[in-house]
Amino acid sequence: IRRAFGQSPDSVVVGWLPLFHDMGLIGPVLQPLYLGVRYVLMSPASFLQRPLRWLAAVSRYRGTTSGGPDFACALTATGAVRCWGNNSYGQLGDGSTVASLQPVTVTGLDSGITALAVGYDYACALDTAGGVHCWGRNDRGQLGNGSQADSAVPVTVTGLGGAVTAITAGHFTTCALTTAGAIQCWGDGAYGELGNATTAGAATPTAVTGLDGVATAVVASMTRNAACAVVAGALRCWGEHTGIAVAAYS
Protein backbone atom coordinates (compact mmCIF):
# COMPACT_ATOMS: atom_id res chain seq x y z
CA ILE A 1 0.00 0.00 0.00
CA ARG A 2 2.83 2.40 0.89
CA ARG A 3 4.50 1.91 -2.49
CA ALA A 4 1.26 2.03 -4.48
CA PHE A 5 0.12 5.26 -2.81
CA GLY A 6 3.58 6.84 -2.72
CA GLN A 7 3.28 7.43 1.03
CA SER A 8 6.11 8.97 3.07
CA PRO A 9 6.75 10.09 6.68
CA ASP A 10 5.01 13.36 5.75
CA SER A 11 1.77 11.69 4.63
CA VAL A 12 -1.54 12.57 6.31
CA VAL A 13 -4.39 10.05 6.13
CA VAL A 14 -8.04 11.16 6.39
CA GLY A 15 -10.84 8.60 6.72
CA TRP A 16 -14.54 8.23 7.52
CA LEU A 17 -15.27 4.56 6.71
CA PRO A 18 -16.60 2.36 9.57
CA LEU A 19 -13.77 0.70 11.50
CA PHE A 20 -15.50 -2.71 11.45
CA HIS A 21 -15.23 -2.71 7.65
CA ASP A 22 -11.96 -4.08 6.24
CA MET A 23 -11.38 -1.03 4.08
CA GLY A 24 -12.13 1.28 7.01
CA LEU A 25 -9.83 -0.59 9.39
CA ILE A 26 -6.82 -1.09 7.11
CA GLY A 27 -6.73 2.18 5.14
CA PRO A 28 -7.23 4.95 7.70
CA VAL A 29 -6.09 3.10 10.86
CA LEU A 30 -3.64 0.20 10.47
CA GLN A 31 -1.76 1.69 7.53
CA PRO A 32 -0.95 5.05 9.20
CA LEU A 33 -0.03 3.19 12.41
CA TYR A 34 2.37 1.06 10.41
CA LEU A 35 3.85 4.15 8.76
CA GLY A 36 3.89 6.21 11.95
CA VAL A 37 2.16 9.14 10.22
CA ARG A 38 -0.65 11.46 11.22
CA TYR A 39 -4.21 10.30 10.60
CA VAL A 40 -7.58 12.00 11.02
CA LEU A 41 -10.79 10.03 11.58
CA MET A 42 -14.33 11.34 11.23
CA SER A 43 -17.46 9.38 12.08
CA PRO A 44 -19.41 7.70 9.26
CA ALA A 45 -22.54 9.50 10.54
CA SER A 46 -20.89 12.89 10.04
CA PHE A 47 -20.06 11.99 6.46
CA LEU A 48 -23.55 10.67 5.70
CA GLN A 49 -25.20 13.77 7.16
CA ARG A 50 -23.05 16.05 5.02
CA PRO A 51 -20.63 14.40 2.53
CA LEU A 52 -18.89 17.73 1.92
CA ARG A 53 -17.35 17.36 5.39
CA TRP A 54 -15.04 14.69 3.96
CA LEU A 55 -13.53 17.09 1.43
CA ALA A 56 -13.42 19.83 4.05
CA ALA A 57 -11.43 17.54 6.36
CA VAL A 58 -8.98 16.67 3.59
CA SER A 59 -8.45 20.39 2.97
CA ARG A 60 -8.28 21.44 6.62
CA TYR A 61 -5.78 18.77 7.68
CA ARG A 62 -3.90 18.77 4.36
CA GLY A 63 -4.65 15.11 3.78
CA THR A 64 -2.52 13.29 1.23
CA THR A 65 -4.36 9.94 1.31
CA SER A 66 -8.11 9.37 1.60
CA GLY A 67 -10.44 6.82 0.06
CA GLY A 68 -14.00 5.57 -0.19
CA PRO A 69 -16.36 3.52 -2.38
CA ASP A 70 -15.44 3.37 -6.06
CA PHE A 71 -18.60 4.83 -7.63
CA ALA A 72 -21.30 7.33 -6.75
CA CYS A 73 -24.68 8.54 -7.98
CA ALA A 74 -26.67 11.73 -7.59
CA LEU A 75 -30.34 12.65 -7.92
CA THR A 76 -30.77 16.02 -9.64
CA ALA A 77 -33.40 18.67 -8.90
CA THR A 78 -35.15 17.69 -12.15
CA GLY A 79 -35.53 14.04 -11.12
CA ALA A 80 -32.68 12.63 -13.20
CA VAL A 81 -30.04 10.15 -11.98
CA ARG A 82 -26.38 10.60 -12.83
CA CYS A 83 -23.51 8.30 -11.82
CA TRP A 84 -19.72 8.29 -12.12
CA GLY A 85 -16.66 6.23 -11.14
CA ASN A 86 -16.01 2.51 -11.57
CA ASN A 87 -18.32 0.65 -13.95
CA SER A 88 -17.15 -2.97 -13.87
CA TYR A 89 -20.68 -4.28 -13.27
CA GLY A 90 -22.56 -1.62 -15.22
CA GLN A 91 -23.30 0.31 -12.03
CA LEU A 92 -23.21 3.65 -13.86
CA GLY A 93 -26.34 2.53 -15.72
CA ASP A 94 -25.37 4.02 -19.08
CA GLY A 95 -25.45 0.76 -21.01
CA SER A 96 -21.69 0.19 -20.83
CA THR A 97 -19.03 -1.12 -18.47
CA VAL A 98 -16.66 1.78 -19.14
CA ALA A 99 -15.65 3.85 -16.12
CA SER A 100 -16.30 7.59 -16.15
CA LEU A 101 -14.52 10.42 -14.35
CA GLN A 102 -17.57 12.64 -14.73
CA PRO A 103 -21.32 12.06 -14.23
CA VAL A 104 -23.23 10.19 -16.94
CA THR A 105 -27.03 10.02 -17.13
CA VAL A 106 -28.50 6.65 -16.22
CA THR A 107 -30.37 5.26 -19.23
CA GLY A 108 -34.10 6.02 -19.08
CA LEU A 109 -33.84 7.93 -15.80
CA ASP A 110 -33.53 11.48 -17.06
CA SER A 111 -36.67 12.56 -15.14
CA GLY A 112 -39.41 11.31 -12.82
CA ILE A 113 -37.20 9.90 -10.05
CA THR A 114 -37.91 10.81 -6.42
CA ALA A 115 -35.36 8.75 -4.44
CA LEU A 116 -32.05 7.00 -4.96
CA ALA A 117 -30.27 4.19 -3.09
CA VAL A 118 -26.68 3.09 -3.78
CA GLY A 119 -25.44 -0.35 -2.73
CA TYR A 120 -22.30 -2.40 -3.28
CA ASP A 121 -21.65 -2.08 -7.04
CA TYR A 122 -25.33 -1.47 -7.81
CA ALA A 123 -28.00 1.21 -7.39
CA CYS A 124 -31.78 1.56 -7.36
CA ALA A 125 -34.17 4.43 -8.05
CA LEU A 126 -37.79 5.10 -7.02
CA ASP A 127 -40.07 6.75 -9.56
CA THR A 128 -43.08 9.02 -9.07
CA ALA A 129 -45.49 6.11 -9.63
CA GLY A 130 -43.97 4.06 -6.81
CA GLY A 131 -41.99 1.72 -9.06
CA VAL A 132 -38.39 0.66 -8.40
CA HIS A 133 -35.63 0.28 -10.98
CA CYS A 134 -32.15 -1.16 -10.29
CA TRP A 135 -28.92 -1.61 -12.24
CA GLY A 136 -25.37 -2.91 -11.83
CA ARG A 137 -24.17 -6.00 -9.98
CA ASN A 138 -26.72 -8.79 -9.58
CA ASP A 139 -24.93 -11.96 -8.47
CA ARG A 140 -27.19 -12.26 -5.40
CA GLY A 141 -30.40 -11.16 -7.12
CA GLN A 142 -30.14 -7.66 -5.62
CA LEU A 143 -31.66 -6.04 -8.72
CA GLY A 144 -34.95 -7.79 -7.96
CA ASN A 145 -35.92 -8.74 -11.51
CA GLY A 146 -35.88 -12.52 -11.04
CA SER A 147 -32.40 -13.10 -12.44
CA GLN A 148 -28.79 -13.02 -11.28
CA ALA A 149 -27.39 -11.38 -14.40
CA ASP A 150 -25.71 -7.99 -14.09
CA SER A 151 -27.41 -5.15 -15.95
CA ALA A 152 -25.78 -1.99 -17.31
CA VAL A 153 -29.21 -0.35 -17.68
CA PRO A 154 -32.06 -0.12 -15.15
CA VAL A 155 -34.39 -3.10 -14.83
CA THR A 156 -37.77 -2.92 -13.12
CA VAL A 157 -38.15 -4.74 -9.80
CA THR A 158 -40.99 -7.25 -10.11
CA GLY A 159 -43.51 -8.49 -7.55
CA LEU A 160 -43.46 -5.59 -5.08
CA GLY A 161 -47.15 -6.03 -4.38
CA GLY A 162 -47.93 -2.31 -4.35
CA ALA A 163 -46.50 1.16 -4.71
CA VAL A 164 -43.27 1.96 -2.87
CA THR A 165 -42.55 5.07 -0.77
CA ALA A 166 -38.91 4.45 0.21
CA ILE A 167 -35.97 2.28 -0.86
CA THR A 168 -32.64 1.30 0.66
CA ALA A 169 -29.66 -0.61 -0.73
CA GLY A 170 -27.15 -2.48 1.40
CA HIS A 171 -24.22 -4.79 0.80
CA PHE A 172 -26.03 -7.34 -1.39
CA THR A 173 -29.59 -6.78 -0.15
CA THR A 174 -32.24 -4.27 -1.21
CA CYS A 175 -35.42 -3.35 0.69
CA ALA A 176 -38.48 -1.24 -0.06
CA LEU A 177 -41.23 0.26 2.10
CA THR A 178 -44.68 0.10 0.49
CA THR A 179 -47.59 2.51 0.87
CA ALA A 180 -49.31 -0.17 2.95
CA GLY A 181 -46.55 -0.06 5.57
CA ALA A 182 -45.05 -3.40 4.56
CA ILE A 183 -41.37 -4.06 3.84
CA GLN A 184 -40.16 -6.16 0.93
CA CYS A 185 -36.52 -7.26 0.62
CA TRP A 186 -34.56 -9.15 -2.03
CA GLY A 187 -31.01 -10.26 -2.76
CA ASP A 188 -28.64 -12.11 -0.42
CA GLY A 189 -30.20 -13.86 2.56
CA ALA A 190 -27.28 -15.84 3.98
CA TYR A 191 -27.50 -14.04 7.33
CA GLY A 192 -31.27 -13.75 7.44
CA GLU A 193 -31.14 -10.20 6.10
CA LEU A 194 -34.32 -10.69 4.06
CA GLY A 195 -36.23 -11.00 7.34
CA ASN A 196 -38.38 -13.90 6.18
CA ALA A 197 -37.21 -16.48 8.76
CA THR A 198 -34.87 -18.19 6.28
CA THR A 199 -31.27 -17.84 5.14
CA ALA A 200 -32.10 -18.32 1.47
CA GLY A 201 -31.60 -15.53 -1.04
CA ALA A 202 -34.33 -14.18 -3.32
CA ALA A 203 -34.10 -12.57 -6.76
CA THR A 204 -37.55 -11.01 -6.36
CA PRO A 205 -39.10 -9.17 -3.40
CA THR A 206 -40.12 -11.18 -0.34
CA ALA A 207 -42.11 -9.82 2.59
CA VAL A 208 -40.37 -9.22 5.92
CA THR A 209 -42.20 -11.32 8.49
CA GLY A 210 -44.36 -9.51 11.02
CA LEU A 211 -44.07 -5.99 9.61
CA ASP A 212 -47.07 -5.91 7.30
CA GLY A 213 -48.84 -2.58 7.69
CA VAL A 214 -46.81 -1.27 10.65
CA ALA A 215 -43.47 0.00 9.30
CA THR A 216 -42.78 3.68 8.65
CA ALA A 217 -39.11 3.59 7.53
CA VAL A 218 -36.46 1.09 6.43
CA VAL A 219 -32.67 1.06 6.08
CA ALA A 220 -30.21 -1.63 4.97
CA SER A 221 -26.62 -1.74 6.17
CA MET A 222 -23.87 -1.16 3.62
CA THR A 223 -21.19 -2.72 5.79
CA ARG A 224 -23.18 -5.41 7.63
CA ASN A 225 -25.60 -8.00 6.28
CA ALA A 226 -28.59 -6.56 8.11
CA ALA A 227 -31.58 -4.24 7.79
CA CYS A 228 -33.77 -2.28 10.19
CA ALA A 229 -37.26 -0.79 10.21
CA VAL A 230 -38.99 1.83 12.32
CA VAL A 231 -42.16 0.46 13.93
CA ALA A 232 -44.18 2.61 16.36
CA GLY A 233 -41.12 4.76 16.96
CA ALA A 234 -38.90 1.77 17.79
CA LEU A 235 -36.13 0.20 15.71
CA ARG A 236 -36.47 -3.46 14.75
CA CYS A 237 -33.56 -5.18 13.00
CA TRP A 238 -32.78 -8.52 11.39
CA GLY A 239 -29.80 -10.24 9.77
CA GLU A 240 -26.18 -10.44 10.84
CA HIS A 241 -25.61 -9.81 14.54
CA THR A 242 -22.14 -10.07 16.07
CA GLY A 243 -21.19 -12.52 13.35
CA ILE A 244 -24.15 -14.85 14.00
CA ALA A 245 -26.81 -15.50 11.36
CA VAL A 246 -30.24 -14.75 12.75
CA ALA A 247 -33.61 -14.74 11.07
CA ALA A 248 -35.56 -13.03 13.82
CA TYR A 249 -35.72 -9.53 15.14
CA SER A 250 -33.02 -8.33 17.57
Side-chain angles (χ1 to χ4, degrees):
I1 294 175
R2 176 181 59 81
R3 288 194 298 268
F5 281 72
Q7 292 171 320
S8 73
D10 297 323
S11 294
V12 177
V13 179
V14 179
W16 59 268
L17 293 168
L19 300 186
F20 55 75
H21 189 279
D22 53 0
M23 187 175 177
L25 181 61
I26 295 172
V29 178
L30 296 183
Q31 180 65 10
L33 285 175
Y34 167 75
L35 294 172
V37 301
R38 185 185 187 193
Y39 62 101
V40 178
L41 297 179
M42 60 185 295
S43 75
S46 293
F47 167 78
L48 291 173
Q49 289 167 356
R50 192 175 178 216
L52 188 59
R53 287 173 176 162
W54 178 21
L55 300 182
V58 172
S59 176
R60 177 179 180 183
Y61 297 103
R62 299 182 181 275
T64 59
T65 302
S66 190
D70 60 0
F71 91 106
C73 295
L75 176 61
T76 73
T78 59
V81 179
R82 307 192 75 188
C83 299
W84 60 96
N86 184 33
N87 199 24
S88 301
Y89 296 92
Q91 60 262 48
L92 301 190
D94 65 344
S96 78
T97 53
V98 179
S100 177
L101 297 177
Q102 56 187 355
V104 295
T105 300
V106 175
T107 303
L109 301 185
D110 52 358
S111 65
I113 300 302
T114 61
L116 179 64
V118 177
Y120 192 75
D121 295 326
Y122 77 102
C124 296
L126 174 64
D127 65 31
T128 53
V132 180
H133 315 276
C134 301
W135 61 96
R137 187 171 181 172
N138 195 32
D139 55 330
R140 314 295 174 86
Q142 56 265 50
L143 300 191
N145 65 336
S147 81
Q148 289 184 308
D150 300 341
S151 179
V153 295
V155 294
T156 300
V157 176
T158 59
L160 282 168
V164 169
T165 61
I167 55 174
T168 181
H171 203 204
F172 296 118
T173 305
T174 315
C175 295
L177 173 67
T178 71
T179 53
I183 293 178
Q184 301 270 348
C185 295
W186 58 95
D188 193 15
Y191 291 89
E193 56 265 56
L194 298 188
N196 60 352
T198 76
T199 54
T204 54
T206 178
V208 175
T209 305
L211 294 186
D212 191 20
V214 297
T216 56
V218 63
V219 62
S221 171
M222 183 66 170
T223 53
R224 287 293 187 191
N225 299 298
C228 295
V230 176
V231 178
L235 196 64
R236 302 183 71 180
C237 300
W238 57 95
E240 185 179 19
H241 179 61
T242 62
I244 301 174
V246 296
Y249 304 115
S250 59

